[in-house]
Amino acid sequence: MRWIGAGATMTTTTNAAATAATAASATATAATPHTAPRVGPVPVLWLALMATPLAAGANAPVLILPDMARSLGVSASTATWLVASYAWAMAVGTPLLAGLLRRRGLRAALHLAGALLVGGTLLVAASPWLPLTLAGRATQAAGGAGLAAVAMSLAGSARQMGVISAGFGILGASGPLLGAQLSQAVSWRLSLSVSVIAILAVPMVSRYAAAPAARAATPQDKFDARGAALLTTLATALVLLPHAPAAALGSSALAATLLALHVRRRPDGFVPAALIRRPLFLGSALLALALSGSYFTLLFSVPRLLTERAGWDATTAGTGQLVALLTGSALSWLLAAASARMSRAAVRAVLIGVGALAAAIAVFASWGPLLLVATLGGVFAATGSNAVLSMHAASSAPEPQRPTAIGLFALCYQLGGAFGPAIATALVLTA
């Protein structure tokens, strides 16, 4: 039942109604008579359409890896890099495209992310070799992550973020079955192309963008290439931690040290020092990472626990977990909708309480339905944190840095998808 776990990468990348749409901060107005933008809140359904296909695209290969391996002439274990490359590019692409949104505005980020998504999809559709297909998958993921970062930045309330985050969970849970059906009906290449649907929302979202207001250049406008490279190296090492622990641990420690030194030298660079020193941002990002890691641990562990403790067969366990994932993802929207009327402390208490209870149930329960409750609680806490805590993180930053805050928050959340399977392997899957 490992396929369920590879599912919800979102992931993967994310309260208060006081957080204004980043587009409004990055873009202010000057429409031409021929292309007058609709300045104002973007309808949430367009934001969801632009963001959530990324989750389905991440999970679509899970059930069809053997077919893909045969077609490409490689082993099934080698073909799993098609999943890993997508996860890596999502983690790396989110802060990079969010940085572009911060510096160049909404339209530049939309156009580049859309071009990457379409270009990567075309490469996947035509490539006869695994290396080229891997490059296509990574390009797809970077483009999709950029669109998701834009959508999350434009979400002006926890309710809107709840819709996006619940959509991530639902499409992530449905992705493996959708991929299998498309592969059986047409081709596995079509299964890997489902995320391109997000491109349909780009023209509509772009209509709400105004031309960037002219302003005097400042020293901070110079692109911090070294900061971006060090953050990319750190994220890469962390994503590879479950696959090559020794090398990744040393690389991540070195990259983190160099990045910290660089941030001290350039506090207004790609990783703003003022942002990562804010307790609200740091607390939100680290809590989201913990809840995401717990969720992905449950996601990989519960199918095995259902088999060993409750005696369920693989089909029953898979169906039950799918229902739990869909239900928990839908319920998380209720928390996001209610969070505007709750204090931050109350919201965090709910998230921590449900997440801790889900983990405790998984440790001690042996009754099948109760183990499914653990899955439901895990996805509820993780998806709810993605919706609500991302707004906390964004509200902690000055307006020009909100895209960066969203990008770094999403990176932390997605790292849970890298750590969770490794924890599950150590605690359950190899037992």
Side-chain angles (χ1 to χ4, degrees):
M1 289 310 304
R2 191 174 175 88
W3 64 271
I4 296 280
T9 327
M10 329 252 292
T11 77
T12 326
T13 213
T14 321
N15 75 148
T19 301
T22 298
S25 66
T27 67
T29 99
T32 67
H34 301 289
T35 58
R38 299 180 181 181
V39 179
V42 183
V44 68
L45 292 181
W46 287 118
L47 296 180
L49 176 60
M50 191 168 72
T52 57
L54 177 69
N59 306 335
V62 176
L63 289 177
I64 58 175
L65 281 173
D67 296 335
M68 295 161 52
R70 283 192 297 271
S71 176
L72 293 168
V74 298
S75 67
S77 60
T78 301
T80 60
W81 282 102
L82 289 167
V83 178
S85 66
Y86 200 94
W88 168 79
M90 282 197 316
V92 170
T94 301
L96 291 178
L97 271 294
L100 178 66
L101 175 63
R102 172 190 170 190
R103 297 185 70 253
R104 298 298 184 188
L106 179 62
R107 285 183 175 168
L110 281 175
H111 293 163
L112 178 58
L116 290 172
L117 178 59
V118 173
T121 300
L122 293 175
L123 197 57
V124 167
S127 168
W129 306 294
L130 178 63
L132 207 54
T133 308
L134 286 173
R137 284 290 284 168
T139 305
Q140 270 184 321
L147 294 181
V150 171
M152 293 168 66
S153 296
L154 290 174
S157 69
R159 184 185 296 268
Q160 286 191 325
M161 271 302 308
V163 173
I164 295 171
S165 192
F168 275 141
I170 291 170
L171 287 186
S174 305
L177 293 178
L178 175 63
Q181 293 297 317
L182 291 176
S183 178
Q184 185 176 7
V186 184
S187 166
W188 63 266
R189 296 183 185 275
L190 180 61
S191 300
L192 300 191
S193 302
V194 293
S195 60
V196 81
I197 295 172
I199 203 68
L200 298 175
V202 171
M204 295 303 299
V205 174
S206 184
R207 291 177 65 182
Y208 287 81
R215 61 183 177 86
T218 67
Q220 288 73 36
D221 287 332
K222 184 179 180 181
F223 180 62
D224 181 13
R226 181 176 297 177
L230 288 172
L231 180 64
T232 300
T233 302
L234 175 60
T236 302
L238 292 173
V239 168
L240 293 176
L241 195 58
H243 305 281
L249 188 61
S251 299
S252 60
L254 177 60
T257 301
L258 293 175
L259 180 60
L261 294 174
H262 177 74
V263 169
R264 291 186 63 183
R265 287 194 299 266
R266 187 165 177 182
D268 294 317
F270 192 82
V271 180
L275 176 62
I276 60 176
R277 290 171 183 163
R278 290 179 184 268
L280 179 57
F281 172 81
L282 204 56
S284 299
L286 293 178
L287 179 55
L289 188 153
L291 292 172
S292 174
S294 175
Y295 162 51
F296 281 99
T297 301
L298 291 172
L299 211 52
F300 276 83
S301 301
V302 167
R304 171 71 69 87
L305 298 178
L306 286 169
T307 300
E308 294 181 351
R309 296 181 185 175
W312 289 19
D313 59 39
T315 301
T316 304
T319 302
Q321 189 163 12
L322 178 61
V323 172
L325 290 172
L326 295 174
T327 304
S329 297
L331 289 176
S332 68
W333 180 82
L334 297 178
L335 175 64
S339 65
R341 301 186 297 275
M342 301 168 63
S343 68
R344 287 172 177 165
V347 170
R348 293 180 184 221
V350 170
L351 292 172
I352 294 172
V354 173
L357 181 61
I361 290 173
V363 170
F364 298 107
S366 58
W367 186 42
L370 202 53
L371 287 170
L372 292 181
V373 170
T375 299
L376 189 154
V379 72
F380 172 86
T383 307
S385 72
N386 194 32
V388 180
L389 297 182
S390 63
M391 302 303 287
H392 287 180
S395 69
S396 71
E399 283 192 5
Q401 292 181 353
R402 285 179 181 172
T404 301
I406 288 289
L408 295 177
F409 174 91
L411 172 60
C412 290
Y413 181 85
Q414 289 164 8
L415 287 175
F419 299 152
I423 298 172
T425 299
L427 297 179
V428 176
L429 300 181
T430 58

